[in-house]
Short mmCIF file of all heavy atoms in Angstrom, two decimals:
data_model
loop_
_atom_site.label_atom_id
_atom_site.label_comp_id
_atom_site.label_asym_id
_atom_site.label_seq_id
_atom_site.Cartn_x
_atom_site.Cartn_y
_atom_site.Cartn_z
N LEU S 31 22.37 43.55 73.46
CA LEU S 31 21.63 43.16 72.25
C LEU S 31 22.55 43.18 71.03
O LEU S 31 22.40 42.36 70.12
CB LEU S 31 20.44 44.09 72.04
CG LEU S 31 19.34 43.99 73.11
CD1 LEU S 31 18.30 45.08 72.91
CD2 LEU S 31 18.68 42.60 73.08
N ILE S 32 23.51 44.09 71.02
CA ILE S 32 24.48 44.13 69.93
C ILE S 32 25.36 42.88 69.97
O ILE S 32 25.62 42.25 68.94
CB ILE S 32 25.32 45.43 70.02
CG1 ILE S 32 24.45 46.63 69.62
CG2 ILE S 32 26.56 45.36 69.13
CD1 ILE S 32 25.05 47.98 69.94
N GLU S 33 25.82 42.51 71.17
CA GLU S 33 26.61 41.28 71.29
C GLU S 33 25.83 40.05 70.84
O GLU S 33 26.41 39.11 70.29
CB GLU S 33 27.06 41.08 72.75
CG GLU S 33 28.30 41.84 73.11
CD GLU S 33 29.00 41.26 74.35
OE1 GLU S 33 28.40 40.43 75.06
OE2 GLU S 33 30.15 41.65 74.58
N GLN S 34 24.54 40.07 71.08
CA GLN S 34 23.70 38.92 70.70
C GLN S 34 23.37 38.93 69.21
O GLN S 34 22.70 38.01 68.73
CB GLN S 34 22.41 38.94 71.53
CG GLN S 34 22.64 38.68 73.02
CD GLN S 34 21.39 38.93 73.85
OE1 GLN S 34 20.30 39.18 73.32
NE2 GLN S 34 21.54 38.88 75.17
N GLY S 35 23.81 39.96 68.49
CA GLY S 35 23.56 40.04 67.06
C GLY S 35 22.16 40.51 66.70
O GLY S 35 21.74 40.42 65.54
N ARG S 36 21.44 41.05 67.67
CA ARG S 36 20.06 41.48 67.43
C ARG S 36 19.98 42.93 66.98
O ARG S 36 19.00 43.34 66.36
CB ARG S 36 19.23 41.26 68.70
CG ARG S 36 19.19 39.80 69.12
CD ARG S 36 18.61 39.61 70.51
NE ARG S 36 17.19 39.96 70.56
CZ ARG S 36 16.45 39.88 71.67
NH1 ARG S 36 17.01 39.46 72.81
NH2 ARG S 36 15.19 40.22 71.65
N ILE S 37 20.99 43.71 67.31
CA ILE S 37 21.10 45.10 66.87
C ILE S 37 22.52 45.28 66.35
O ILE S 37 23.46 44.71 66.91
CB ILE S 37 20.83 46.08 68.04
CG1 ILE S 37 19.38 45.97 68.53
CG2 ILE S 37 21.14 47.52 67.65
CD1 ILE S 37 19.08 46.83 69.75
N GLY S 38 22.69 46.07 65.31
CA GLY S 38 24.02 46.36 64.78
C GLY S 38 24.36 47.83 64.94
O GLY S 38 23.50 48.70 64.76
N LEU S 39 25.60 48.12 65.30
CA LEU S 39 26.02 49.51 65.47
C LEU S 39 25.79 50.33 64.21
O LEU S 39 25.51 51.54 64.28
CB LEU S 39 27.50 49.58 65.87
CG LEU S 39 27.83 49.28 67.32
CD1 LEU S 39 29.34 49.14 67.50
CD2 LEU S 39 27.28 50.37 68.25
N ASP S 40 25.90 49.70 63.04
CA ASP S 40 25.76 50.43 61.78
C ASP S 40 24.42 50.19 61.12
O ASP S 40 24.23 50.51 59.93
CB ASP S 40 26.92 50.07 60.84
CG ASP S 40 28.25 50.57 61.38
OD1 ASP S 40 28.33 51.75 61.76
OD2 ASP S 40 29.20 49.76 61.47
N ASP S 41 23.47 49.68 61.89
CA ASP S 41 22.11 49.56 61.39
C ASP S 41 21.40 50.91 61.45
O ASP S 41 21.60 51.68 62.41
CB ASP S 41 21.31 48.56 62.24
CG ASP S 41 21.69 47.12 61.97
OD1 ASP S 41 22.27 46.84 60.91
OD2 ASP S 41 21.41 46.27 62.84
N PRO S 42 20.53 51.20 60.48
CA PRO S 42 19.74 52.43 60.56
C PRO S 42 18.63 52.29 61.59
O PRO S 42 18.06 51.20 61.77
CB PRO S 42 19.17 52.57 59.14
CG PRO S 42 19.09 51.17 58.63
CD PRO S 42 20.27 50.45 59.23
N VAL S 43 18.32 53.39 62.26
CA VAL S 43 17.27 53.39 63.28
C VAL S 43 15.92 53.01 62.67
O VAL S 43 15.08 52.38 63.32
CB VAL S 43 17.19 54.78 63.95
CG1 VAL S 43 16.04 54.84 64.94
CG2 VAL S 43 18.50 55.09 64.65
N THR S 44 15.73 53.33 61.38
CA THR S 44 14.45 53.04 60.72
C THR S 44 14.18 51.55 60.59
O THR S 44 13.06 51.15 60.30
CB THR S 44 14.41 53.69 59.33
OG1 THR S 44 15.61 53.36 58.62
CG2 THR S 44 14.29 55.21 59.45
N LYS S 45 15.17 50.71 60.80
CA LYS S 45 14.96 49.26 60.80
C LYS S 45 13.95 48.88 61.88
O LYS S 45 13.19 47.93 61.73
CB LYS S 45 16.29 48.54 61.01
CG LYS S 45 16.20 47.02 61.02
CD LYS S 45 17.59 46.39 61.13
CE LYS S 45 17.52 44.87 61.20
NZ LYS S 45 18.89 44.27 61.32
N TRP S 46 13.95 49.60 63.00
CA TRP S 46 13.04 49.36 64.12
C TRP S 46 11.95 50.42 64.22
O TRP S 46 10.85 50.14 64.66
CB TRP S 46 13.80 49.29 65.43
CG TRP S 46 14.69 48.10 65.52
CD1 TRP S 46 14.37 46.86 65.99
CD2 TRP S 46 16.06 48.02 65.09
NE1 TRP S 46 15.45 46.01 65.90
CE2 TRP S 46 16.51 46.69 65.35
CE3 TRP S 46 16.94 48.92 64.53
CZ2 TRP S 46 17.79 46.27 65.04
CZ3 TRP S 46 18.23 48.50 64.22
CH2 TRP S 46 18.65 47.19 64.47
N LEU S 47 12.30 51.64 63.86
CA LEU S 47 11.37 52.77 63.97
C LEU S 47 11.19 53.39 62.58
O LEU S 47 11.76 54.44 62.28
CB LEU S 47 11.91 53.81 64.97
CG LEU S 47 12.24 53.29 66.38
CD1 LEU S 47 12.94 54.37 67.19
CD2 LEU S 47 10.98 52.81 67.09
N PRO S 48 10.39 52.75 61.72
CA PRO S 48 10.30 53.19 60.32
C PRO S 48 9.77 54.60 60.13
O PRO S 48 10.05 55.23 59.09
CB PRO S 48 9.36 52.15 59.69
CG PRO S 48 8.65 51.50 60.83
CD PRO S 48 9.60 51.54 61.99
N ASP S 49 9.03 55.12 61.10
CA ASP S 49 8.49 56.47 60.97
C ASP S 49 9.40 57.54 61.56
O ASP S 49 9.09 58.73 61.48
CB ASP S 49 7.12 56.56 61.64
CG ASP S 49 6.09 55.66 60.98
OD1 ASP S 49 6.19 55.46 59.75
OD2 ASP S 49 5.20 55.14 61.70
N PHE S 50 10.52 57.11 62.16
CA PHE S 50 11.42 58.10 62.77
C PHE S 50 12.40 58.58 61.71
O PHE S 50 13.44 57.98 61.48
CB PHE S 50 12.17 57.50 63.97
CG PHE S 50 12.96 58.51 64.74
CD1 PHE S 50 12.34 59.38 65.62
CD2 PHE S 50 14.34 58.61 64.59
CE1 PHE S 50 13.05 60.33 66.32
CE2 PHE S 50 15.07 59.55 65.29
CZ PHE S 50 14.42 60.42 66.15
N ARG S 51 12.05 59.70 61.05
CA ARG S 51 12.82 60.19 59.92
C ARG S 51 13.03 61.71 59.98
O ARG S 51 12.55 62.46 59.12
CB ARG S 51 12.12 59.82 58.61
CG ARG S 51 11.97 58.31 58.40
CD ARG S 51 11.21 57.97 57.14
NE ARG S 51 11.08 56.53 56.96
CZ ARG S 51 11.99 55.77 56.34
NH1 ARG S 51 13.08 56.33 55.82
NH2 ARG S 51 11.80 54.47 56.23
N PRO S 52 13.73 62.20 61.01
CA PRO S 52 14.01 63.64 61.05
C PRO S 52 14.89 64.04 59.87
O PRO S 52 15.72 63.26 59.40
CB PRO S 52 14.74 63.83 62.38
CG PRO S 52 15.29 62.48 62.72
CD PRO S 52 14.34 61.49 62.15
N ARG S 53 14.68 65.26 59.39
CA ARG S 53 15.40 65.74 58.21
C ARG S 53 16.35 66.87 58.57
O ARG S 53 16.25 67.48 59.64
CB ARG S 53 14.40 66.24 57.15
CG ARG S 53 13.47 65.15 56.64
CD ARG S 53 12.42 65.70 55.69
NE ARG S 53 11.54 64.64 55.21
CZ ARG S 53 11.77 63.91 54.13
NH1 ARG S 53 12.87 64.14 53.40
NH2 ARG S 53 10.92 62.97 53.76
N LEU S 54 17.26 67.15 57.68
CA LEU S 54 18.12 68.31 57.80
C LEU S 54 17.36 69.55 57.36
O LEU S 54 16.27 69.45 56.77
CB LEU S 54 19.38 68.13 56.95
CG LEU S 54 20.35 67.04 57.44
CD1 LEU S 54 21.35 66.68 56.34
CD2 LEU S 54 21.07 67.49 58.70
N GLU S 55 17.93 70.72 57.62
CA GLU S 55 17.27 71.98 57.26
C GLU S 55 16.96 72.06 55.77
O GLU S 55 15.98 72.68 55.36
CB GLU S 55 18.15 73.17 57.68
CG GLU S 55 18.18 73.43 59.18
CD GLU S 55 16.93 74.12 59.70
OE1 GLU S 55 16.01 74.36 58.90
OE2 GLU S 55 16.89 74.42 60.91
N ASP S 56 17.78 71.42 54.94
CA ASP S 56 17.56 71.49 53.49
C ASP S 56 16.52 70.49 53.00
O ASP S 56 16.27 70.38 51.79
CB ASP S 56 18.88 71.28 52.73
CG ASP S 56 19.49 69.88 52.95
OD1 ASP S 56 18.83 69.02 53.57
OD2 ASP S 56 20.63 69.67 52.49
N GLY S 57 15.91 69.76 53.94
CA GLY S 57 14.87 68.81 53.58
C GLY S 57 15.34 67.41 53.28
O GLY S 57 14.53 66.49 53.12
N SER S 58 16.66 67.21 53.20
CA SER S 58 17.17 65.87 52.94
C SER S 58 17.06 65.00 54.18
O SER S 58 17.04 65.49 55.31
CB SER S 58 18.63 65.94 52.47
OG SER S 58 19.46 66.50 53.48
N GLU S 59 16.98 63.68 53.96
CA GLU S 59 16.78 62.73 55.06
C GLU S 59 17.99 61.81 55.18
O GLU S 59 18.10 60.82 54.47
CB GLU S 59 15.53 61.89 54.82
CG GLU S 59 15.21 60.93 55.95
CD GLU S 59 14.11 59.96 55.57
OE1 GLU S 59 13.04 60.40 55.10
OE2 GLU S 59 14.33 58.74 55.74
N PRO S 60 18.92 62.14 56.09
CA PRO S 60 20.10 61.28 56.25
C PRO S 60 19.78 60.05 57.08
O PRO S 60 18.81 60.03 57.84
CB PRO S 60 21.09 62.19 56.98
CG PRO S 60 20.20 63.05 57.83
CD PRO S 60 18.94 63.28 57.02
N ALA S 61 20.61 59.03 56.95
CA ALA S 61 20.44 57.83 57.78
C ALA S 61 21.04 58.08 59.16
O ALA S 61 22.19 58.51 59.27
CB ALA S 61 21.12 56.64 57.11
N ILE S 62 20.25 57.83 60.19
CA ILE S 62 20.76 57.86 61.56
C ILE S 62 21.04 56.42 61.96
O ILE S 62 20.15 55.57 61.93
CB ILE S 62 19.75 58.49 62.53
CG1 ILE S 62 19.48 59.95 62.13
CG2 ILE S 62 20.28 58.43 63.97
CD1 ILE S 62 18.42 60.62 63.00
N LEU S 63 22.27 56.13 62.34
CA LEU S 63 22.68 54.79 62.72
C LEU S 63 22.64 54.62 64.23
O LEU S 63 22.67 55.60 64.98
CB LEU S 63 24.09 54.49 62.20
CG LEU S 63 24.35 54.75 60.71
CD1 LEU S 63 25.80 54.39 60.37
CD2 LEU S 63 23.36 54.00 59.84
N ILE S 64 22.59 53.39 64.68
CA ILE S 64 22.60 53.10 66.12
C ILE S 64 23.81 53.73 66.78
O ILE S 64 23.71 54.31 67.87
CB ILE S 64 22.56 51.58 66.37
CG1 ILE S 64 21.26 50.97 65.83
CG2 ILE S 64 22.74 51.28 67.85
CD1 ILE S 64 20.00 51.49 66.47
N ARG S 65 24.99 53.66 66.16
CA ARG S 65 26.19 54.24 66.76
C ARG S 65 26.06 55.76 66.93
O ARG S 65 26.61 56.33 67.86
CB ARG S 65 27.44 53.88 65.97
CG ARG S 65 27.61 54.55 64.65
CD ARG S 65 29.04 54.36 64.11
NE ARG S 65 29.39 52.97 63.88
CZ ARG S 65 30.29 52.32 64.65
NH1 ARG S 65 30.90 52.94 65.64
NH2 ARG S 65 30.59 51.06 64.37
N HIS S 66 25.34 56.42 66.03
CA HIS S 66 25.13 57.86 66.17
C HIS S 66 24.33 58.17 67.43
O HIS S 66 24.61 59.16 68.14
CB HIS S 66 24.39 58.42 64.94
CG HIS S 66 25.16 58.33 63.67
ND1 HIS S 66 24.57 58.09 62.45
CD2 HIS S 66 26.50 58.45 63.42
CE1 HIS S 66 25.50 58.07 61.50
NE2 HIS S 66 26.67 58.29 62.07
N LEU S 67 23.32 57.36 67.71
CA LEU S 67 22.53 57.57 68.92
C LEU S 67 23.36 57.34 70.17
O LEU S 67 23.31 58.12 71.13
CB LEU S 67 21.31 56.64 68.92
CG LEU S 67 20.28 56.84 67.81
CD1 LEU S 67 19.18 55.80 67.93
CD2 LEU S 67 19.69 58.24 67.83
N LEU S 68 24.14 56.27 70.19
CA LEU S 68 24.91 55.90 71.38
C LEU S 68 26.03 56.89 71.69
O LEU S 68 26.51 56.95 72.82
CB LEU S 68 25.49 54.50 71.21
CG LEU S 68 24.49 53.34 71.25
CD1 LEU S 68 25.17 52.03 70.87
CD2 LEU S 68 23.83 53.22 72.62
N THR S 69 26.44 57.67 70.69
CA THR S 69 27.55 58.62 70.88
C THR S 69 27.09 60.08 70.82
O THR S 69 27.92 60.99 70.85
CB THR S 69 28.64 58.40 69.82
OG1 THR S 69 28.05 58.50 68.51
CG2 THR S 69 29.29 57.04 69.98
N HIS S 70 25.79 60.33 70.73
CA HIS S 70 25.25 61.69 70.64
C HIS S 70 25.80 62.45 69.43
O HIS S 70 26.04 63.66 69.49
CB HIS S 70 25.50 62.47 71.93
CG HIS S 70 24.80 61.89 73.12
ND1 HIS S 70 23.44 62.04 73.33
CD2 HIS S 70 25.25 61.12 74.14
CE1 HIS S 70 23.09 61.40 74.43
NE2 HIS S 70 24.17 60.83 74.94
N THR S 71 25.97 61.75 68.33
CA THR S 71 26.42 62.37 67.07
C THR S 71 25.33 62.29 66.00
O THR S 71 25.61 62.35 64.81
CB THR S 71 27.70 61.70 66.55
OG1 THR S 71 27.46 60.29 66.35
CG2 THR S 71 28.86 61.88 67.53
N SER S 72 24.07 62.16 66.44
CA SER S 72 22.96 61.94 65.51
C SER S 72 22.39 63.22 64.91
O SER S 72 21.64 63.18 63.93
CB SER S 72 21.83 61.20 66.22
OG SER S 72 21.36 61.98 67.30
N GLY S 73 22.70 64.38 65.51
CA GLY S 73 22.09 65.63 65.08
C GLY S 73 20.86 66.00 65.88
O GLY S 73 20.25 67.06 65.66
N LEU S 74 20.47 65.15 66.84
CA LEU S 74 19.36 65.44 67.74
C LEU S 74 19.83 66.38 68.85
O LEU S 74 21.03 66.65 68.99
CB LEU S 74 18.80 64.15 68.32
CG LEU S 74 18.26 63.12 67.31
CD1 LEU S 74 17.89 61.82 68.01
CD2 LEU S 74 17.06 63.69 66.56
N SER S 75 18.89 66.85 69.68
CA SER S 75 19.25 67.80 70.73
C SER S 75 18.39 67.56 71.96
O SER S 75 17.71 66.53 72.08
CB SER S 75 19.08 69.24 70.21
OG SER S 75 19.58 70.17 71.14
N TYR S 76 18.42 68.50 72.90
CA TYR S 76 17.59 68.52 74.10
C TYR S 76 16.90 69.88 74.19
O TYR S 76 17.44 70.89 73.70
CB TYR S 76 18.44 68.33 75.35
CG TYR S 76 18.47 66.96 75.95
CD1 TYR S 76 19.68 66.35 76.28
CD2 TYR S 76 17.30 66.26 76.23
CE1 TYR S 76 19.73 65.08 76.85
CE2 TYR S 76 17.34 65.00 76.81
CZ TYR S 76 18.55 64.42 77.12
OH TYR S 76 18.59 63.16 77.68
#
């Protein structure tokens, strides 16, 4: 989908999932990019 230009590595996840807005401990809301998800550098866990 990235090759087809339908998703961009540096697009924010909220472009597709507008309600997906996890915050940091201090309450701030950083942008999670597609590349962060694909490389497990998003700040999410298991």
Side-chain angles (χ1 to χ4, degrees):
L31 294 172
I32 288 168
E33 277 200 347
Q34 293 170 7
R36 299 169 66 180
I37 295 175
L39 282 170
D40 293 311
D41 286 339
V43 176
T44 50
K45 180 176 177 180
W46 293 272
L47 304 173
D49 296 328
F50 188 77
R51 299 177 180 273
R53 298 175 180 270
L54 292 165
E55 287 283 2
D56 64 7
S58 62
E59 183 190 309
I62 298 176
L63 308 180
I64 297 299
R65 72 167 62 250
H66 294 145
L67 296 178
L68 290 172
T69 56
H70 296 284
T71 58
S72 61
L74 301 173
S75 188
Y76 260 131

